[in-house]
Amino acid sequence: MAESPLNVAAITSRVHVLGLKWLAKDNELTALAEPERHIRLGATPPAGKTLAEREAAAAVQAHALAAAGYPAAYDARTKGWVTPVEDQGGCGSCVAFGTTAAVESAVRVANNNPNLAVDLSEAQVFYCYGKAAGATCGTGWWPDGALNGFKTGVVDAACFPYTAGDQNCNLCGNWKDRLTAITGWTAITNTSAMKTQISSKGPVSACFTVYNDFFAYSTGIYSPDVQSGVAGGHCVCVVGYNDAEKYWICKNSWGANWGESGFFCIAYNVCGIDSEMWGINGIVDTGWRNNQVIRGLWAIDQDFNAWAYLSDYGWKKLSNNSDNIFYDMLTQVMAAKAAGHAVSVHLTNGVIDQIYS
Amino acid sequence: MTDTAPTHVPPPAGVGIHVQSLSLQVLSTDELKLLPAGPGKQAMPAHSVTGVAKQAAVAAGTTWQSQKNIVNQWTINQDRNSWIGVAGIGWQKLSTASDSGCVALSMISGNALITKASVSYRTEADGMVHEIYVF
């Protein structure tokens, strides 16, 4: 049934006939020719389990509804952990967007700051790490490769802004000082563990089979009309779930005009969405933190144990590699606080070891 | 020793009480008895830090004071013998548990005095200050 452009009226009719819980609407993607739509689907699983096999596995995934250990409903958007919706454009780079969104949220969670300005480079993820692994806009990729890139580190988006289309890895000059890295990632196949991860550590990445009617999604809880035909595989970021109504809440990368302001809800057990999800274990707290205001000081009667509160990143311990270092650091953060100077500090595993004031 | 980490966060910008300079008065004999002595019966400040507050009694256990202002400091040429004068409270001796801990507490207390920032601090049954937040 795939057409160019999509026949949204026909999709709406089928949704009604089947009694599905979502609405279809014309949008920028339904107006595209089929190849331009499908190139946005870049989730290509490695050898071992196909998208169809993942879909079959997800269909029988058990959900322990309202189980102990995690809330029955959770939406990371209400906590402020979710960064703005992006648009991957005409490139099968959804894996870069689905994983980067999860890491950006993990950065906010790790720093307990929902207002933290974090925007990491999907371009580096896809055109550097992905390209080295053989991924192109046409072939797509898979989250484990992208997340391994995040273990090495990814720059902020301004260092390598994203544009759609295969290109060289073109990082800015001081890219080594601008990396954000994760401590590791975990592939999760148990739905309770997925919900625990999302509600405690932050959003996760997931890939699923896209049927052609999905492009026309407007609002509601999506489940497919399989007769619309398989269009391909897609990777997104799962930001929440609801056990009462049995759906996942996902952040897409097709712009804020698509779906529910860029998000969609998808029913449990459909399209392989809950066959596997990828969670972020933690953020490596190393690198420069610029333009920070010292908002607090703390000391205790223990040897060489004093902390400064950075406006965006919270409490950070001062290096105590020597008595001279400790007192010098403490003197400088005190002076910065007294003067109202913004500071740039370098952290190594969460400890302040260099200060510009 | 396992290092402890801070658990409180600063209030929103602009919150806090700013205190003007205050005159000193001599503490009474009874008030002086309330001050902790420290190792080897160290010397202690003999003047109050405010004309209003009297020296506070030493609490039996862990006590937090919040949103206070440090208006005076006192020190003498004795090891680990540094005190803060707190508006509305009186003199509080800084913990003598370690050299660097005592100096760090004294340093950030000085910062609070200079900037008129509000402080929250913890005292124990020994009457000494063991932990300070400066916001």
PDB file of all heavy atoms in Angstrom, chain B residues 51-89:
ATOM      1  N   GLY B  51      25.451  42.573  70.468  1.00  0.00           N
ATOM      2  CA  GLY B  51      24.883  43.138  71.669  1.00  0.00           C
ATOM      3  C   GLY B  51      23.561  42.503  72.040  1.00  0.00           C
ATOM      4  O   GLY B  51      23.023  42.760  73.117  1.00  0.00           O
ATOM      5  N   VAL B  52      23.012  41.699  71.171  1.00  0.00           N
ATOM      6  CA  VAL B  52      21.702  41.091  71.410  1.00  0.00           C
ATOM      7  C   VAL B  52      21.842  39.651  71.867  1.00  0.00           C
ATOM      8  O   VAL B  52      21.324  39.252  72.899  1.00  0.00           O
ATOM      9  CB  VAL B  52      20.828  41.150  70.140  1.00  0.00           C
ATOM     10  CG1 VAL B  52      19.501  40.453  70.385  1.00  0.00           C
ATOM     11  CG2 VAL B  52      20.619  42.594  69.720  1.00  0.00           C
ATOM     12  N   ALA B  53      22.569  38.862  71.069  1.00  0.00           N
ATOM     13  CA  ALA B  53      22.621  37.437  71.360  1.00  0.00           C
ATOM     14  C   ALA B  53      23.537  37.158  72.539  1.00  0.00           C
ATOM     15  O   ALA B  53      24.558  37.805  72.720  1.00  0.00           O
ATOM     16  CB  ALA B  53      23.114  36.686  70.139  1.00  0.00           C
ATOM     17  N   LYS B  54      23.173  36.213  73.301  1.00  0.00           N
ATOM     18  CA  LYS B  54      24.032  35.705  74.354  1.00  0.00           C
ATOM     19  C   LYS B  54      24.602  34.378  73.877  1.00  0.00           C
ATOM     20  O   LYS B  54      24.084  33.770  72.952  1.00  0.00           O
ATOM     21  CB  LYS B  54      23.237  35.512  75.649  1.00  0.00           C
ATOM     22  CG  LYS B  54      22.681  36.812  76.202  1.00  0.00           C
ATOM     23  CD  LYS B  54      23.809  37.763  76.571  1.00  0.00           C
ATOM     24  CE  LYS B  54      23.265  39.046  77.171  1.00  0.00           C
ATOM     25  NZ  LYS B  54      24.336  39.998  77.510  1.00  0.00           N
ATOM     26  N   GLN B  55      25.671  33.952  74.531  1.00  0.00           N
ATOM     27  CA  GLN B  55      26.277  32.701  74.111  1.00  0.00           C
ATOM     28  C   GLN B  55      25.271  31.564  74.229  1.00  0.00           C
ATOM     29  O   GLN B  55      24.624  31.385  75.262  1.00  0.00           O
ATOM     30  CB  GLN B  55      27.510  32.412  74.974  1.00  0.00           C
ATOM     31  CG  GLN B  55      28.257  31.152  74.599  1.00  0.00           C
ATOM     32  CD  GLN B  55      28.739  31.208  73.168  1.00  0.00           C
ATOM     33  OE1 GLN B  55      29.072  32.274  72.658  1.00  0.00           O
ATOM     34  NE2 GLN B  55      28.743  30.067  72.515  1.00  0.00           N
ATOM     35  N   ALA B  56      25.148  30.776  73.176  1.00  0.00           N
ATOM     36  CA  ALA B  56      24.168  29.696  73.172  1.00  0.00           C
ATOM     37  C   ALA B  56      24.653  28.527  74.002  1.00  0.00           C
ATOM     38  O   ALA B  56      25.849  28.269  74.099  1.00  0.00           O
ATOM     39  CB  ALA B  56      23.928  29.220  71.733  1.00  0.00           C
ATOM     40  N   ALA B  57      23.700  27.833  74.619  1.00  0.00           N
ATOM     41  CA  ALA B  57      24.046  26.624  75.351  1.00  0.00           C
ATOM     42  C   ALA B  57      24.494  25.555  74.362  1.00  0.00           C
ATOM     43  O   ALA B  57      24.064  25.530  73.214  1.00  0.00           O
ATOM     44  CB  ALA B  57      22.834  26.134  76.139  1.00  0.00           C
ATOM     45  N   VAL B  58      25.350  24.658  74.816  1.00  0.00           N
ATOM     46  CA  VAL B  58      25.824  23.580  73.959  1.00  0.00           C
ATOM     47  C   VAL B  58      24.753  22.500  73.888  1.00  0.00           C
ATOM     48  O   VAL B  58      24.272  22.029  74.918  1.00  0.00           O
ATOM     49  CB  VAL B  58      27.141  22.984  74.504  1.00  0.00           C
ATOM     50  CG1 VAL B  58      27.579  21.792  73.671  1.00  0.00           C
ATOM     51  CG2 VAL B  58      28.208  24.068  74.522  1.00  0.00           C
ATOM     52  N   ALA B  59      24.376  22.131  72.658  1.00  0.00           N
ATOM     53  CA  ALA B  59      23.354  21.109  72.489  1.00  0.00           C
ATOM     54  C   ALA B  59      23.910  19.742  72.854  1.00  0.00           C
ATOM     55  O   ALA B  59      25.123  19.516  72.816  1.00  0.00           O
ATOM     56  CB  ALA B  59      22.865  21.112  71.046  1.00  0.00           C
ATOM     57  N   ALA B  60      23.009  18.847  73.197  1.00  0.00           N
ATOM     58  CA  ALA B  60      23.445  17.522  73.642  1.00  0.00           C
ATOM     59  C   ALA B  60      23.987  16.683  72.492  1.00  0.00           C
ATOM     60  O   ALA B  60      24.802  15.793  72.690  1.00  0.00           O
ATOM     61  CB  ALA B  60      22.279  16.803  74.307  1.00  0.00           C
ATOM     62  N   GLY B  61      23.537  16.951  71.297  1.00  0.00           N
ATOM     63  CA  GLY B  61      23.965  16.115  70.170  1.00  0.00           C
ATOM     64  C   GLY B  61      24.063  16.934  68.906  1.00  0.00           C
ATOM     65  O   GLY B  61      24.283  18.148  68.937  1.00  0.00           O
ATOM     66  N   THR B  62      23.882  16.243  67.777  1.00  0.00           N
ATOM     67  CA  THR B  62      23.986  16.908  66.483  1.00  0.00           C
ATOM     68  C   THR B  62      22.930  17.985  66.341  1.00  0.00           C
ATOM     69  O   THR B  62      21.747  17.740  66.550  1.00  0.00           O
ATOM     70  CB  THR B  62      23.816  15.876  65.350  1.00  0.00           C
ATOM     71  OG1 THR B  62      24.816  14.875  65.481  1.00  0.00           O
ATOM     72  CG2 THR B  62      23.922  16.548  63.992  1.00  0.00           C
ATOM     73  N   THR B  63      23.382  19.191  65.988  1.00  0.00           N
ATOM     74  CA  THR B  63      22.454  20.313  65.823  1.00  0.00           C
ATOM     75  C   THR B  63      22.830  21.099  64.565  1.00  0.00           C
ATOM     76  O   THR B  63      24.007  21.387  64.343  1.00  0.00           O
ATOM     77  CB  THR B  63      22.529  21.265  67.037  1.00  0.00           C
ATOM     78  OG1 THR B  63      22.223  20.519  68.208  1.00  0.00           O
ATOM     79  CG2 THR B  63      21.530  22.413  66.889  1.00  0.00           C
ATOM     80  N   TRP B  64      21.834  21.401  63.755  1.00  0.00           N
ATOM     81  CA  TRP B  64      22.075  22.231  62.558  1.00  0.00           C
ATOM     82  C   TRP B  64      21.562  23.641  62.805  1.00  0.00           C
ATOM     83  O   TRP B  64      20.476  23.821  63.340  1.00  0.00           O
ATOM     84  CB  TRP B  64      21.345  21.641  61.340  1.00  0.00           C
ATOM     85  CG  TRP B  64      22.120  20.546  60.669  1.00  0.00           C
ATOM     86  CD1 TRP B  64      21.982  19.204  60.868  1.00  0.00           C
ATOM     87  CD2 TRP B  64      23.160  20.712  59.703  1.00  0.00           C
ATOM     88  NE1 TRP B  64      22.872  18.521  60.090  1.00  0.00           N
ATOM     89  CE2 TRP B  64      23.605  19.409  59.364  1.00  0.00           C
ATOM     90  CE3 TRP B  64      23.771  21.807  59.102  1.00  0.00           C
ATOM     91  CZ2 TRP B  64      24.624  19.190  58.436  1.00  0.00           C
ATOM     92  CZ3 TRP B  64      24.776  21.589  58.184  1.00  0.00           C
ATOM     93  CH2 TRP B  64      25.201  20.298  57.861  1.00  0.00           C
ATOM     94  N   GLN B  65      22.340  24.607  62.415  1.00  0.00           N
ATOM     95  CA  GLN B  65      21.903  26.005  62.398  1.00  0.00           C
ATOM     96  C   GLN B  65      21.821  26.423  60.931  1.00  0.00           C
ATOM     97  O   GLN B  65      22.783  26.213  60.184  1.00  0.00           O
ATOM     98  CB  GLN B  65      22.899  26.906  63.131  1.00  0.00           C
ATOM     99  CG  GLN B  65      23.093  26.572  64.610  1.00  0.00           C
ATOM    100  CD  GLN B  65      21.910  26.965  65.468  1.00  0.00           C
ATOM    101  OE1 GLN B  65      20.965  27.598  64.997  1.00  0.00           O
ATOM    102  NE2 GLN B  65      21.943  26.578  66.727  1.00  0.00           N
ATOM    103  N   SER B  66      20.693  26.991  60.532  1.00  0.00           N
ATOM    104  CA  SER B  66      20.499  27.340  59.128  1.00  0.00           C
ATOM    105  C   SER B  66      20.298  28.839  58.940  1.00  0.00           C
ATOM    106  O   SER B  66      19.778  29.516  59.832  1.00  0.00           O
ATOM    107  CB  SER B  66      19.278  26.595  58.571  1.00  0.00           C
ATOM    108  OG  SER B  66      19.482  25.200  58.648  1.00  0.00           O
ATOM    109  N   GLN B  67      20.701  29.315  57.773  1.00  0.00           N
ATOM    110  CA  GLN B  67      20.472  30.712  57.382  1.00  0.00           C
ATOM    111  C   GLN B  67      21.045  31.671  58.414  1.00  0.00           C
ATOM    112  O   GLN B  67      20.401  32.635  58.813  1.00  0.00           O
ATOM    113  CB  GLN B  67      18.972  30.971  57.195  1.00  0.00           C
ATOM    114  CG  GLN B  67      18.358  30.212  56.029  1.00  0.00           C
ATOM    115  CD  GLN B  67      18.378  31.039  54.764  1.00  0.00           C
ATOM    116  OE1 GLN B  67      17.955  32.190  54.757  1.00  0.00           O
ATOM    117  NE2 GLN B  67      18.878  30.474  53.680  1.00  0.00           N
ATOM    118  N   LYS B  68      22.267  31.382  58.872  1.00  0.00           N
ATOM    119  CA  LYS B  68      22.940  32.249  59.836  1.00  0.00           C
ATOM    120  C   LYS B  68      24.007  33.093  59.141  1.00  0.00           C
ATOM    121  O   LYS B  68      24.388  32.816  58.008  1.00  0.00           O
ATOM    122  CB  LYS B  68      23.582  31.409  60.942  1.00  0.00           C
ATOM    123  CG  LYS B  68      22.587  30.556  61.723  1.00  0.00           C
ATOM    124  CD  LYS B  68      21.530  31.389  62.412  1.00  0.00           C
ATOM    125  CE  LYS B  68      20.552  30.517  63.191  1.00  0.00           C
ATOM    126  NZ  LYS B  68      19.419  31.302  63.727  1.00  0.00           N
ATOM    127  N   ASN B  69      24.464  34.101  59.849  1.00  0.00           N
ATOM    128  CA  ASN B  69      25.519  34.949  59.299  1.00  0.00           C
ATOM    129  C   ASN B  69      26.710  34.988  60.230  1.00  0.00           C
ATOM    130  O   ASN B  69      26.568  35.203  61.441  1.00  0.00           O
ATOM    131  CB  ASN B  69      24.987  36.365  59.053  1.00  0.00           C
ATOM    132  CG  ASN B  69      24.165  36.425  57.793  1.00  0.00           C
ATOM    133  OD1 ASN B  69      22.955  36.241  57.825  1.00  0.00           O
ATOM    134  ND2 ASN B  69      24.840  36.635  56.678  1.00  0.00           N
ATOM    135  N   ILE B  70      27.870  34.801  59.643  1.00  0.00           N
ATOM    136  CA  ILE B  70      29.118  34.905  60.405  1.00  0.00           C
ATOM    137  C   ILE B  70      29.522  36.384  60.408  1.00  0.00           C
ATOM    138  O   ILE B  70      29.667  36.990  59.336  1.00  0.00           O
ATOM    139  CB  ILE B  70      30.213  34.032  59.768  1.00  0.00           C
ATOM    140  CG1 ILE B  70      29.818  32.552  59.890  1.00  0.00           C
ATOM    141  CG2 ILE B  70      31.569  34.287  60.441  1.00  0.00           C
ATOM    142  CD1 ILE B  70      30.726  31.601  59.147  1.00  0.00           C
ATOM    143  N   VAL B  71      29.651  36.928  61.606  1.00  0.00           N
ATOM    144  CA  VAL B  71      29.960  38.361  61.708  1.00  0.00           C
ATOM    145  C   VAL B  71      31.321  38.618  62.335  1.00  0.00           C
ATOM    146  O   VAL B  71      31.791  39.763  62.339  1.00  0.00           O
ATOM    147  CB  VAL B  71      28.845  39.113  62.474  1.00  0.00           C
ATOM    148  CG1 VAL B  71      27.569  39.123  61.663  1.00  0.00           C
ATOM    149  CG2 VAL B  71      28.611  38.473  63.837  1.00  0.00           C
ATOM    150  N   ASN B  72      31.928  37.589  62.902  1.00  0.00           N
ATOM    151  CA  ASN B  72      33.266  37.757  63.465  1.00  0.00           C
ATOM    152  C   ASN B  72      34.041  36.449  63.351  1.00  0.00           C
ATOM    153  O   ASN B  72      33.457  35.371  63.249  1.00  0.00           O
ATOM    154  CB  ASN B  72      33.197  38.126  64.954  1.00  0.00           C
ATOM    155  CG  ASN B  72      32.727  39.536  65.176  1.00  0.00           C
ATOM    156  OD1 ASN B  72      31.522  39.762  65.222  1.00  0.00           O
ATOM    157  ND2 ASN B  72      33.640  40.470  65.295  1.00  0.00           N
ATOM    158  N   GLN B  73      35.354  36.575  63.371  1.00  0.00           N
ATOM    159  CA  GLN B  73      36.212  35.404  63.529  1.00  0.00           C
ATOM    160  C   GLN B  73      37.216  35.709  64.626  1.00  0.00           C
ATOM    161  O   GLN B  73      37.524  36.876  64.904  1.00  0.00           O
ATOM    162  CB  GLN B  73      36.950  35.088  62.222  1.00  0.00           C
ATOM    163  CG  GLN B  73      36.049  34.454  61.157  1.00  0.00           C
ATOM    164  CD  GLN B  73      36.832  34.026  59.927  1.00  0.00           C
ATOM    165  OE1 GLN B  73      37.367  34.870  59.235  1.00  0.00           O
ATOM    166  NE2 GLN B  73      36.878  32.732  59.672  1.00  0.00           N
ATOM    167  N   TRP B  74      37.710  34.665  65.227  1.00  0.00           N
ATOM    168  CA  TRP B  74      38.730  34.837  66.267  1.00  0.00           C
ATOM    169  C   TRP B  74      39.750  33.728  66.137  1.00  0.00           C
ATOM    170  O   TRP B  74      39.402  32.571  65.869  1.00  0.00           O
ATOM    171  CB  TRP B  74      38.077  34.770  67.642  1.00  0.00           C
ATOM    172  CG  TRP B  74      39.037  34.951  68.791  1.00  0.00           C
ATOM    173  CD1 TRP B  74      39.501  36.134  69.295  1.00  0.00           C
ATOM    174  CD2 TRP B  74      39.629  33.918  69.584  1.00  0.00           C
ATOM    175  NE1 TRP B  74      40.349  35.913  70.336  1.00  0.00           N
ATOM    176  CE2 TRP B  74      40.463  34.562  70.550  1.00  0.00           C
ATOM    177  CE3 TRP B  74      39.560  32.535  69.587  1.00  0.00           C
ATOM    178  CZ2 TRP B  74      41.199  33.859  71.494  1.00  0.00           C
ATOM    179  CZ3 TRP B  74      40.295  31.827  70.518  1.00  0.00           C
ATOM    180  CH2 TRP B  74      41.110  32.487  71.463  1.00  0.00           C
ATOM    181  N   THR B  75      41.008  34.060  66.266  1.00  0.00           N
ATOM    182  CA  THR B  75      42.054  33.031  66.266  1.00  0.00           C
ATOM    183  C   THR B  75      43.183  33.465  67.164  1.00  0.00           C
ATOM    184  O   THR B  75      43.266  34.642  67.571  1.00  0.00           O
ATOM    185  CB  THR B  75      42.555  32.770  64.838  1.00  0.00           C
ATOM    186  OG1 THR B  75      43.392  31.613  64.848  1.00  0.00           O
ATOM    187  CG2 THR B  75      43.326  33.967  64.278  1.00  0.00           C
ATOM    188  N   ILE B  76      44.042  32.545  67.485  1.00  0.00           N
ATOM    189  CA  ILE B  76      45.145  32.799  68.413  1.00  0.00           C
ATOM    190  C   ILE B  76      46.274  31.869  68.035  1.00  0.00           C
ATOM    191  O   ILE B  76      46.054  30.876  67.320  1.00  0.00           O
ATOM    192  CB  ILE B  76      44.650  32.577  69.867  1.00  0.00           C
ATOM    193  CG1 ILE B  76      45.641  33.138  70.893  1.00  0.00           C
ATOM    194  CG2 ILE B  76      44.352  31.118  70.130  1.00  0.00           C
ATOM    195  CD1 ILE B  76      45.066  33.181  72.305  1.00  0.00           C
ATOM    196  N   ASN B  77      47.466  32.149  68.503  1.00  0.00           N
ATOM    197  CA  ASN B  77      48.588  31.324  68.080  1.00  0.00           C
ATOM    198  C   ASN B  77      48.653  29.994  68.835  1.00  0.00           C
ATOM    199  O   ASN B  77      49.588  29.693  69.564  1.00  0.00           O
ATOM    200  CB  ASN B  77      49.911  32.103  68.192  1.00  0.00           C
ATOM    201  CG  ASN B  77      50.196  32.534  69.607  1.00  0.00           C
ATOM    202  OD1 ASN B  77      49.274  32.623  70.427  1.00  0.00           O
ATOM    203  ND2 ASN B  77      51.455  32.792  69.893  1.00  0.00           N
ATOM    204  N   GLN B  78      47.610  29.214  68.651  1.00  0.00           N
ATOM    205  CA  GLN B  78      47.535  27.849  69.175  1.00  0.00           C
ATOM    206  C   GLN B  78      47.039  26.956  68.044  1.00  0.00           C
ATOM    207  O   GLN B  78      46.203  27.386  67.234  1.00  0.00           O
ATOM    208  CB  GLN B  78      46.546  27.766  70.347  1.00  0.00           C
ATOM    209  CG  GLN B  78      46.984  28.568  71.563  1.00  0.00           C
ATOM    210  CD  GLN B  78      45.924  28.567  72.656  1.00  0.00           C
ATOM    211  OE1 GLN B  78      44.748  28.332  72.386  1.00  0.00           O
ATOM    212  NE2 GLN B  78      46.357  28.869  73.869  1.00  0.00           N
ATOM    213  N   ASP B  79      47.530  25.736  67.995  1.00  0.00           N
ATOM    214  CA  ASP B  79      47.113  24.829  66.926  1.00  0.00           C
ATOM    215  C   ASP B  79      45.598  24.575  66.966  1.00  0.00           C
ATOM    216  O   ASP B  79      45.026  24.324  68.030  1.00  0.00           O
ATOM    217  CB  ASP B  79      47.842  23.482  67.044  1.00  0.00           C
ATOM    218  CG  ASP B  79      49.277  23.579  66.546  1.00  0.00           C
ATOM    219  OD1 ASP B  79      49.569  24.508  65.773  1.00  0.00           O
ATOM    220  OD2 ASP B  79      50.088  22.725  66.957  1.00  0.00           O
ATOM    221  N   ARG B  80      45.010  24.614  65.783  1.00  0.00           N
ATOM    222  CA  ARG B  80      43.594  24.260  65.609  1.00  0.00           C
ATOM    223  C   ARG B  80      42.701  24.979  66.621  1.00  0.00           C
ATOM    224  O   ARG B  80      41.854  24.362  67.271  1.00  0.00           O
ATOM    225  CB  ARG B  80      43.381  22.744  65.725  1.00  0.00           C
ATOM    226  CG  ARG B  80      44.247  21.929  64.779  1.00  0.00           C
ATOM    227  CD  ARG B  80      43.943  20.447  64.891  1.00  0.00           C
ATOM    228  NE  ARG B  80      44.933  19.637  64.184  1.00  0.00           N
ATOM    229  CZ  ARG B  80      44.948  18.322  64.117  1.00  0.00           C
ATOM    230  NH1 ARG B  80      43.998  17.628  64.732  1.00  0.00           N
ATOM    231  NH2 ARG B  80      45.877  17.672  63.459  1.00  0.00           N
ATOM    232  N   ASN B  81      42.878  26.272  66.708  1.00  0.00           N
ATOM    233  CA  ASN B  81      42.043  27.031  67.630  1.00  0.00           C
ATOM    234  C   ASN B  81      41.493  28.246  66.887  1.00  0.00           C
ATOM    235  O   ASN B  81      42.052  29.331  66.933  1.00  0.00           O
ATOM    236  CB  ASN B  81      42.838  27.456  68.862  1.00  0.00           C
ATOM    237  CG  ASN B  81      41.918  27.948  69.979  1.00  0.00           C
ATOM    238  OD1 ASN B  81      40.685  27.890  69.842  1.00  0.00           O
ATOM    239  ND2 ASN B  81      42.502  28.413  71.069  1.00  0.00           N
ATOM    240  N   SER B  82      40.405  28.022  66.183  1.00  0.00           N
ATOM    241  CA  SER B  82      39.784  29.060  65.370  1.00  0.00           C
ATOM    242  C   SER B  82      38.284  29.060  65.636  1.00  0.00           C
ATOM    243  O   SER B  82      37.666  27.993  65.757  1.00  0.00           O
ATOM    244  CB  SER B  82      40.064  28.777  63.881  1.00  0.00           C
ATOM    245  OG  SER B  82      39.529  29.802  63.086  1.00  0.00           O
ATOM    246  N   TRP B  83      37.704  30.247  65.747  1.00  0.00           N
ATOM    247  CA  TRP B  83      36.302  30.380  66.138  1.00  0.00           C
ATOM    248  C   TRP B  83      35.562  31.280  65.149  1.00  0.00           C
ATOM    249  O   TRP B  83      36.153  32.167  64.521  1.00  0.00           O
ATOM    250  CB  TRP B  83      36.188  31.014  67.528  1.00  0.00           C
ATOM    251  CG  TRP B  83      36.781  30.201  68.647  1.00  0.00           C
ATOM    252  CD1 TRP B  83      38.092  29.824  68.792  1.00  0.00           C
ATOM    253  CD2 TRP B  83      36.079  29.684  69.782  1.00  0.00           C
ATOM    254  NE1 TRP B  83      38.262  29.106  69.939  1.00  0.00           N
ATOM    255  CE2 TRP B  83      37.044  29.003  70.580  1.00  0.00           C
ATOM    256  CE3 TRP B  83      34.757  29.733  70.213  1.00  0.00           C
ATOM    257  CZ2 TRP B  83      36.706  28.374  71.777  1.00  0.00           C
ATOM    258  CZ3 TRP B  83      34.416  29.112  71.406  1.00  0.00           C
ATOM    259  CH2 TRP B  83      35.383  28.436  72.170  1.00  0.00           C
ATOM    260  N   ILE B  84      34.280  31.057  65.041  1.00  0.00           N
ATOM    261  CA  ILE B  84      33.431  31.955  64.259  1.00  0.00           C
ATOM    262  C   ILE B  84      32.392  32.580  65.197  1.00  0.00           C
ATOM    263  O   ILE B  84      31.887  31.927  66.109  1.00  0.00           O
ATOM    264  CB  ILE B  84      32.717  31.242  63.095  1.00  0.00           C
ATOM    265  CG1 ILE B  84      31.912  30.029  63.583  1.00  0.00           C
ATOM    266  CG2 ILE B  84      33.733  30.840  62.020  1.00  0.00           C
ATOM    267  CD1 ILE B  84      31.074  29.356  62.491  1.00  0.00           C
ATOM    268  N   GLY B  85      32.114  33.849  64.964  1.00  0.00           N
ATOM    269  CA  GLY B  85      31.061  34.528  65.698  1.00  0.00           C
ATOM    270  C   GLY B  85      29.813  34.593  64.828  1.00  0.00           C
ATOM    271  O   GLY B  85      29.851  35.121  63.719  1.00  0.00           O
ATOM    272  N   VAL B  86      28.725  34.037  65.330  1.00  0.00           N
ATOM    273  CA  VAL B  86      27.512  33.903  64.531  1.00  0.00           C
ATOM    274  C   VAL B  86      26.419  34.808  65.093  1.00  0.00           C
ATOM    275  O   VAL B  86      26.099  34.729  66.292  1.00  0.00           O
ATOM    276  CB  VAL B  86      27.024  32.440  64.504  1.00  0.00           C
ATOM    277  CG1 VAL B  86      25.804  32.293  63.609  1.00  0.00           C
ATOM    278  CG2 VAL B  86      28.150  31.517  64.051  1.00  0.00           C
ATOM    279  N   ALA B  87      25.869  35.642  64.248  1.00  0.00           N
ATOM    280  CA  ALA B  87      24.813  36.557  64.689  1.00  0.00           C
ATOM    281  C   ALA B  87      23.646  35.775  65.280  1.00  0.00           C
ATOM    282  O   ALA B  87      23.166  34.812  64.688  1.00  0.00           O
ATOM    283  CB  ALA B  87      24.345  37.410  63.517  1.00  0.00           C
ATOM    284  N   GLY B  88      23.225  36.186  66.445  1.00  0.00           N
ATOM    285  CA  GLY B  88      22.086  35.540  67.090  1.00  0.00           C
ATOM    286  C   GLY B  88      22.445  34.283  67.843  1.00  0.00           C
ATOM    287  O   GLY B  88      21.608  33.689  68.520  1.00  0.00           O
ATOM    288  N   ILE B  89      23.695  33.821  67.718  1.00  0.00           N
ATOM    289  CA  ILE B  89      24.117  32.577  68.373  1.00  0.00           C
ATOM    290  C   ILE B  89      25.236  32.850  69.362  1.00  0.00           C
ATOM    291  O   ILE B  89      25.124  32.578  70.550  1.00  0.00           O
ATOM    292  CB  ILE B  89      24.605  31.539  67.329  1.00  0.00           C
ATOM    293  CG1 ILE B  89      23.477  31.192  66.365  1.00  0.00           C
ATOM    294  CG2 ILE B  89      25.143  30.288  68.042  1.00  0.00           C
ATOM    295  CD1 ILE B  89      22.378  30.348  66.952  1.00  0.00           C
TER     296      ILE B  89
END
